[in-house]
């Protein structure tokens, strides 16, 4: 085989490779919804909540690229995972102040969100797009409430499982267009409890009291939507500049998990940042009983 023939073969393979990657980025990856399964263990997790599954999802951006048909796949994905608790972490619509969803759209989305099953409760905090105006905030709050999601902005609740033992779930407002009130949110939070913090924007992690937080889950960044391992994310959102994608250990004390979200914005593309929901299994960590000396 001549040199020019070898070069031609290599170039042809490169064209097919680049073409395949482009096709995947634009036409496949944006709807390749996945469940990322995580475990977290702690001595503070009570026995009655051992093996409880909490599913988090964010950044739906409905009413643009996220069509009712596409979101139905997300709902089915969540229900197939069979979580005990579901938490929505902000940005229900894509720029709703620019194109305010009509009654038909909101009714469809409300019905879909209502289909999500979670025997121990469904909870939510709002994202920056939800807070674009007082009208959008009222609209998103109404949709979530009518779909049986309890909004926990700047407050904490206790989650139980058929008993008195509990873990803490703390909700904070978005740093972008919101007003996160850490003092109010943590007013009734005990450092002796296992506490999960949810808010849309991840960079607040450095402002949290690490002895009161065991896990923080946020969204907002979309994992960059287009992510390059060497160069980082193509898309960086305000308040997701320090922590943009994946898991981090904060102050060597608590875990921050920044989800990719399920929707897209600006462009309907994904590269090495597939849309995801994240499910954490709580596991009680026990201290081994010392073996008596013989």
């Amino acid at each position: 085989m001549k040199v020019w023939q070898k070069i031609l073969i290599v170039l042809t393979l490169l064209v097919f490779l680049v073409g395949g990657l482009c096709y995947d980025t634009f036409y496949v990856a944006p709807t390749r919804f996945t469940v990322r399964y995580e475990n977290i263990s702690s001595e503070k997790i009570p026995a009655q909540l051992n093996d409880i599954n909490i599913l988090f999802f964010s950044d739906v951006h409905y009413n643009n690229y996220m069509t009712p048909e596409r979101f139905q796949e997300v709902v089915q994905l969540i229900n197939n995972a069979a979580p005990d608790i579901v938490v929505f972490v902000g940005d229900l619509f894509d720029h709703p102040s620019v194109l305010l969803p009509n009654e038909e759209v909101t009714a469809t989305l409300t019905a879909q969100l209502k289909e999500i099953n979670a025997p121990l409760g469904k909870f939510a905090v709002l994202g920056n797009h939800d807070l674009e105006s007082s009208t959008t905030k009222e609209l998103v709050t109404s949709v979530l409430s009518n779909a049986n999601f309890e909004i926990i902005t700047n407050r904490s609740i206790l989650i139980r499982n058929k008993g008195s033992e509990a873990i803490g779930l703390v909700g904070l407002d978005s740093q972008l267009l919101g007003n996160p009130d850490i003092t109010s949110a943590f007013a009734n939070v005990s450092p002796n409890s296992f506490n999960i913090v949810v808010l849309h924007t991840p960079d607040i992690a450095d402002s949290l009291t690490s002895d009161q937080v065991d896990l923080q889950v946020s969204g907002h960044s979309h994992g960059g939507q287009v992510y390059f391992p060497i160069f980082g994310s193509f898309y960086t959102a305000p308040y997701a500049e320090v922590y943009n994608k994946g898991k981090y250990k904060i102050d060597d004390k608590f875990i921050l998990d920044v989800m990719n979200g399920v929707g897209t914005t600006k462009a309907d593309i994904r590269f090495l940042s597939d849309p995801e929901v994240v499910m954490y299994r709580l596991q009680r960590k026990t201290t081994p009983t010392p073996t008596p000396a013989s």
Side-chain angles (χ1 to χ4, degrees):
M1 184 180 291
K2 296 181 179 179
V3 173
W4 70 266
Q5 290 175 316
K6 293 180 180 180
I7 294 174
L8 183 61
I9 290 173
V10 170
L11 290 176
T12 302
L13 290 173
L14 285 175
V15 168
F16 275 103
L17 176 62
V18 172
L21 289 174
C22 288
Y23 182 83
D24 185 80
T25 298
F26 285 91
Y27 298 104
V28 179
T31 58
R32 191 165 50 226
F33 302 112
T34 60
V35 182
R36 173 160 57 89
Y37 291 94
E38 301 284 352
N39 294 325
I40 187 166
S41 62
S42 171
E43 294 179 356
K44 295 193 291 182
I45 295 173
Q48 291 174 352
L49 284 102
N50 186 48
D51 286 334
I52 287 296
N53 292 307
I54 306 178
L55 186 142
F56 304 87
F57 74 106
S58 71
D59 300 284
V60 174
H61 290 272
Y62 203 83
N63 205 30
N64 192 2
Y65 303 116
M66 182 63 76
T67 62
E69 294 76 19
R70 186 183 287 193
F71 187 59
Q72 193 61 41
E73 294 181 38
V74 177
V75 171
Q76 193 61 52
L77 182 79
I78 292 172
N79 284 337
N80 287 345
D84 300 292
I85 299 161
V86 170
V87 185
F88 173 63
V89 195
D91 278 4
L92 193 58
F93 292 102
D94 194 64
H95 293 291
S97 62
V98 176
L99 179 62
L100 189 68
N102 59 37
E103 291 184 8
E104 181 181 354
V105 169
T106 56
T108 299
L109 177 55
T110 301
Q112 290 180 303
L113 288 167
K114 203 168 186 176
E115 290 178 25
I116 294 175
N117 299 316
L120 298 185
K122 301 192 295 187
F123 307 94
V125 291
L126 304 185
N128 55 288
H129 285 284
D130 308 319
L131 299 168
E132 287 180 353
S133 70
S134 58
T135 301
T136 59
K137 181 179 180 180
E138 182 179 348
L139 173 69
V140 171
T141 299
S142 176
V143 169
L144 289 169
S145 298
N146 289 334
N148 301 323
F149 280 78
E150 180 181 350
I151 297 174
I152 55 170
T153 302
N154 290 334
R155 66 186 182 93
S156 65
I157 60 170
L158 294 175
I159 295 178
R160 297 182 172 87
N161 179 29
K162 299 177 182 178
S164 59
E165 296 179 329
I167 62 170
L169 181 63
V170 185
L172 283 169
D173 208 0
S174 169
Q175 292 168 282
L176 183 60
L177 301 185
N179 181 30
D181 188 339
I182 296 174
T183 302
S184 295
F186 283 86
N188 299 312
V189 173
S190 169
N192 297 321
S193 298
F194 183 84
N195 298 310
I196 300 172
V197 178
V198 291
L199 79 157
H200 190 63
T201 47
D203 283 357
I204 205 170
D206 289 332
S207 300
L208 296 181
T209 305
S210 56
D211 62 340
Q212 290 184 304
V213 181
D214 296 282
L215 172 65
Q216 176 191 332
V217 180
S218 298
H220 186 48
S221 70
H222 299 200
Q225 282 194 196
V226 175
Y227 178 76
F228 300 98
I230 297 176
F231 303 103
S233 300
F234 176 75
Y235 165 70
T236 303
Y239 301 104
E241 296 162 303
V242 179
Y243 306 109
N244 188 254
K245 178 181 173 64
K247 296 171 67 178
Y248 303 85
K249 195 69 176 289
I250 308 298
D251 290 340
D252 206 32
K253 289 190 175 182
F254 72 90
I255 293 171
L256 163 63
D257 197 321
V258 185
M259 300 180 288
N260 291 346
V262 295
T264 54
T265 189
K266 298 184 184 296
D268 194 25
I269 57 174
R270 289 271 188 181
F271 180 73
L272 297 183
S273 283
D274 282 0
E276 65 178 4
V277 302
V278 179
M279 184 139 86
Y280 270 85
R281 171 165 287 187
L282 306 186
Q283 295 185 319
R284 177 173 173 79
K285 187 177 182 180
T286 57
T287 304
T289 303
T291 304
S294 56

